[in-house]
Amino acid sequence: MITIGFSPHRVEALEHIAREMETHNLIILEEPPDPVFREMLAGRMGVEAYVEEMVPAFPEFTRHTCLLLQRLYGAGQRIEQVEPYLERMERIYDLLDNQGVGPERIREMPEVGEVYLAEAHATAALMNFYRKIGGGDFGTAVAACREFAHADAARLRLRARLRAEAVADAVRSGAFRGKVYVEAGYIHLAFFIFLRQQLAAGVGDPDPNAPVQVRPRYLLKAALDEIAGPRAPRQLYSPGDVLTLRAVFRIPTSRAGEELLAARAIVYTALLSKKEKVPTVRLAYPHLTEELRLLAHVRGLDYAACEAAFFRYLRKYTM
């Protein structure tokens, strides 16, 4: 059995992540293999030194996660790192920076070529979005947001497919067996679809010889139920997430529908605090609490209201 644990990279999710990890004998992390990580995991490198060397995007989450993984590893659980897309990105950086291989040649190389193209397209679209935001024209910013969402969706699909293939190959070969927990970021829903297809999972089939079952776990569902009530969604998705996921799954969306999602995404991003939050006794889920409030706000905005808000909060984009 394979459990995919979907959650954001936040300290407030770790209690739920730990509870799920503890019931599996193999944990697969969403990151490329790294010998430095193995040193930290075995206790030969301190957690603080590891975090300082890695300079992660979410240092508090990384620090707490390392302590959790050290405990699980010490208790005998197997921990592996599987993320082919990012592993190939590391190879691309090495080719560009250390081996002097040009982009034209990399585009044509097996394995890394498709990753290079997907990453280059998404990065160019993101840079264009930043330029359009700075230009102060809301319509062009919305168009650039839509363009980036589609480029990011193509990258997410490729990343999900490559990872699903790698995990499925290891399962079929017998390298991964038993109760397997696979870490996945909350937006990587396509990974579940691709992995289930790869393994032809028979969910709920009682036959022990049936194909491997793959089940999703939305790890902050209980927290959302606690904060927002039992009718809360299984995960929170910002307007930008919705725009991107609709593109990932190729769900037909009208231009007006995409423009409204992009407009709301721009306002939501401006208002969302960028600082990593740590739970307190008073507030157990600071990120979820803020997001619920902001989502309720932007869902009430039409396109014109978003445009007005854009000019009101423009400084937040240019700081």
Side-chain angles (χ1 to χ4, degrees), residues 41-56:
L41 197 60
R44 294 187 292 270
M45 181 181 193
V47 168
E48 292 300 328
Y50 175 76
V51 173
E52 184 175 344
E53 178 165 329
M54 300 306 294
V55 194

Side-chain angles (χ1 to χ4, degrees), residues 135-208:
D137 183 280
F138 189 64
T140 58
V142 165
C145 182
R146 291 173 60 215
E147 178 187 348
F148 170 66
H150 283 271
D152 194 32
R155 173 172 58 179
L156 287 171
R157 282 185 64 88
L158 175 58
R159 182 172 172 179
R161 177 174 61 81
L162 292 175
R163 192 167 188 235
E165 290 171 353
V167 172
D169 286 347
V171 170
R172 284 191 292 262
S173 71
F176 292 169
R177 62 181 65 188
K179 294 185 66 178
V180 180
Y181 175 87
V182 186
E183 174 189 50
Y186 76 99
I187 201 169
H188 294 292
L189 300 181
F191 172 65
F192 166 60
I193 304 300
F194 284 126
L195 184 60
R196 188 172 60 177
Q197 290 173 347
Q198 284 282 325
L199 296 173
V203 177
D205 194 328
D207 181 357

Side-chain angles (χ1 to χ4, degrees), residues 57-299:
F58 308 101
E60 285 301 320
F61 175 81
T62 302
R63 184 176 294 108
H64 285 78
T65 301
C66 286
L67 293 171
L68 167 63
L69 294 174
Q70 281 185 336
R71 175 172 65 81
L72 297 175
Y73 183 77
Q77 286 176 277
R78 181 182 170 193
I79 300 173
E80 300 292 342
Q81 297 166 299
V82 178
E83 182 46 271
Y85 186 97
L86 297 183
E87 190 173 0
R88 294 180 192 187
M89 281 300 303
E90 291 181 349
R91 289 170 57 191
I92 289 168
Y93 293 138
D94 179 62
L95 289 168
L96 289 169
D97 299 337
N98 301 323
Q99 299 185 40
V101 180
E104 297 79 9
R105 184 179 167 195
I106 292 175
R107 290 191 192 100
E108 303 301 322
M109 294 175 70
E111 293 191 346
V112 298
E114 62 179 346
V115 170
Y116 178 87
L117 288 171
E119 192 68 22
H121 187 197
T123 301
L126 180 61
M127 293 301 102
N128 181 58
F129 172 65
Y130 287 150
R131 286 193 296 271
K132 299 305 184 185
I133 283 286
D137 183 280
F138 189 64
T140 58
V142 165
C145 182
R146 291 173 60 215
E147 178 187 348
F148 170 66
H150 283 271
D152 194 32
R155 173 172 58 179
L156 287 171
R157 282 185 64 88
L158 175 58
R159 182 172 172 179
R161 177 174 61 81
L162 292 175
R163 192 167 188 235
E165 290 171 353
V167 172
D169 286 347
V171 170
R172 284 191 292 262
S173 71
F176 292 169
R177 62 181 65 188
K179 294 185 66 178
V180 180
Y181 175 87
V182 186
E183 174 189 50
Y186 76 99
I187 201 169
H188 294 292
L189 300 181
F191 172 65
F192 166 60
I193 304 300
F194 284 126
L195 184 60
R196 188 172 60 177
Q197 290 173 347
Q198 284 282 325
L199 296 173
V203 177
D205 194 328
D207 181 357
N209 297 315
V212 177
Q213 295 183 27
V214 183
R215 62 174 188 171
R217 285 289 183 267
Y218 304 96
L219 300 184
L220 285 178
K221 179 65 172 74
L224 283 166
D225 289 346
E226 178 183 328
I227 298 171
R231 298 182 65 181
R234 62 192 182 185
Q235 293 199 126
L236 288 186
Y237 300 106
S238 71
D241 294 333
V242 175
L243 181 61
T244 301
L245 286 170
R246 292 185 72 85
V248 166
F249 292 106
R250 296 167 180 167
I251 299 171
T253 307
S254 68
R255 176 168 179 168
E258 283 200 349
E259 288 178 342
L260 180 57
L261 284 169
R264 289 173 174 172
I266 289 171
V267 176
Y268 180 89
T269 302
L271 296 177
L272 186 70
S273 63
K274 310 305 184 286
K275 183 179 179 181
E276 187 178 19
K277 297 179 173 66
V278 176
T280 64
V281 174
R282 185 180 64 85
L283 192 59
Y285 300 102
H287 284 286
L288 283 184
T289 301
E290 179 189 25
E291 288 171 345
L292 282 166
R293 176 177 55 80
L294 289 181
L295 286 173
H297 172 64
V298 298
R299 283 171 185 156

